[in-house]
Amino acid sequence: MTTPPVSDDIGVLRAGWGYASIGDKIADQVLARPVRWPWLLAFFGTLAGTLAFMAAMLYLFTQGVGIWGVNIPVAWGFAIANCVWWIGIGHAGTFISAVLLLLRQRWRTSINRFAEAMTLFAATMAGLFPLLHLGRPWFFYWIAPYPNRMDLWPQWRSPLVWDFFAIATYLIVSFLFWYLGLIPDLATLRDRAGSRFKQLAFGLLALGWRGEARHWARHESAYLLLAGLATPLVVSVHSVVSLDFAIGNTPGYHSTIFPPYFVAGALFSGFAMVLTLAIPLRRAFGLHDFITSVHLDHAAKVLLATG
């Protein structure tokens, strides 16, 4: 948008797209695209799913965590499996944004934005399940080391406390990384918005961005710094999640191979979700010139390697 969302080596600029036309094309998806029935259908479908999830949580609160199967001594319940799944699919967004940025892989620029958004939603969902499976989720703050008059502290040997720090750190860094990369795009939307309300809303979110050289210099420095912070999270967060299983004595789970296995599996499932989102979005919004077969081929190669 403010910068080209794809690199010259993909051939987009050579195919006749200029920087301004790229900005117009992408901004129009937000500002000018009318609401059609497929969007409404998807919206009400996701709304129905959200209401069903809230009803399931209410049922859980009234019946207890036994409905998840956690009363079976040799099996893990519904909550921990969901936590691992959501964290896993979120890892591809961090890998695409941080690791590939540091490696100067420019093909990431066409898919990193929605991969980062996928990471945020996935990490938010993952953070719910350690709280829901407490049995008394209204005491969720007990797993945080907050100051209290009775000097009661969490059990530091509990993986639940490790999950709190891992997921909270992952959410904060992922949000900062996503928002920092979005600032120039928000400024582009501000400049192209037709109504005063949209101009004010996008202007506040753009934090006064004007595209000056010093803005770009500071943006790049902060972006690289956050990429350096996010890169260890690709390994550390899912390693911590794997220790939920590995430190237990359950046969088959008590294994030191779990951290690297979980990290590789997270990238595998995460890139699979990126392709699951990219291919329909590419078709629905007509983004074939931006998300090309080259991007899909590179993502598929990462999928093959992790598989």
Side-chain angles (χ1 to χ4, degrees):
M1 296 174 67
T2 303
T3 56
V6 287
S7 59
D8 294 347
D9 57 357
I10 310 285
V12 175
L13 296 178
R14 289 196 298 269
W17 288 98
Y19 290 171
S21 60
I22 291 174
D24 290 337
K25 169 73 173 179
I26 304 301
D28 285 348
Q29 302 290 343
V30 180
L31 299 173
R33 186 181 177 91
V35 176
R36 297 188 176 96
W37 68 266
W39 187 93
L40 291 173
L41 186 64
F43 173 77
F44 286 112
T46 52
L47 178 62
T50 303
L51 294 176
F53 179 62
M54 295 176 67
M57 285 196 296
L58 181 62
Y59 180 63
L60 172 73
F61 296 160
T62 56
Q63 299 297 316
V65 294
I67 64 173
W68 276 350
V70 293
N71 53 350
I72 303 172
V74 294
W76 292 94
F78 185 80
I80 195 170
N82 271 269
C83 178
V84 171
W85 187 81
W86 282 110
I87 283 288
I89 69 167
H91 266 55
T94 307
F95 184 84
I96 290 170
S97 299
V99 179
L100 296 184
L101 174 67
L102 294 176
L103 295 177
R104 300 297 182 182
Q105 298 295 312
R106 300 186 69 185
W107 63 271
R108 60 175 280 281
T109 52
S110 283
I111 60 175
N112 72 307
R113 190 74 75 236
F114 67 81
E116 292 166 6
M118 178 191 76
T119 295
L120 277 178
F121 284 110
T124 302
M125 290 300 299
L128 287 176
F129 286 97
L131 306 181
L132 294 177
H133 96 285
L134 290 174
R136 293 181 291 176
W138 45 91
F139 293 133
F140 66 92
Y141 54 89
W142 283 5
I143 65 175
Y146 68 96
N148 59 89
R149 296 183 61 187
M150 300 184 69
D151 287 335
L152 294 174
W153 301 102
Q155 173 54 270
W156 295 104
R157 290 177 292 180
S158 170
L160 193 62
V161 179
W162 308 345
D163 284 344
F164 170 79
F165 285 103
I167 296 175
T169 305
Y170 192 51
L171 265 173
I172 293 170
V173 174
S174 297
F175 173 78
L176 290 175
F177 202 84
W178 169 78
Y179 183 67
L180 185 64
L182 203 61
I183 289 175
D185 299 339
L186 292 169
T188 298
L189 293 174
R190 174 201 64 200
D191 297 339
R192 286 170 167 78
S195 68
R196 184 61 178 167
F197 174 77
K198 290 180 180 178
Q199 289 173 353
L200 287 173
F202 289 125
L204 288 173
L205 293 173
L207 304 179
W209 179 274
R210 294 186 300 276
E212 297 177 358
R214 59 173 182 166
H215 288 181
W216 281 114
R218 292 170 182 171
H219 180 272
E220 174 132 4
S221 299
Y223 211 48
L224 288 174
L225 176 62
L226 280 175
L229 288 173
T231 299
L233 291 179
V234 176
V235 178
S236 65
V237 172
H238 220 51
S239 297
V240 169
V241 171
S242 74
L243 295 179
D244 294 353
F245 301 85
I247 68 166
N249 292 320
T250 307
Y253 291 140
H254 190 65
S255 173
T256 55
I257 196 63
F258 266 40
Y261 170 71
F262 269 52
V263 172
L267 295 177
F268 181 69
S269 59
F271 269 88
M273 185 58 69
V274 166
L275 289 173
T276 302
L277 293 173
I279 294 171
L281 287 174
R282 180 174 178 255
R283 174 67 181 272
F285 294 101
L287 301 176
H288 298 78
D289 291 328
F290 304 102
I291 304 175
T292 67
S293 58
V294 175
H295 296 96
L296 302 181
D297 182 63
H298 288 335
K301 287 177 180 175
V302 176
L303 199 63
L304 180 63
T306 53

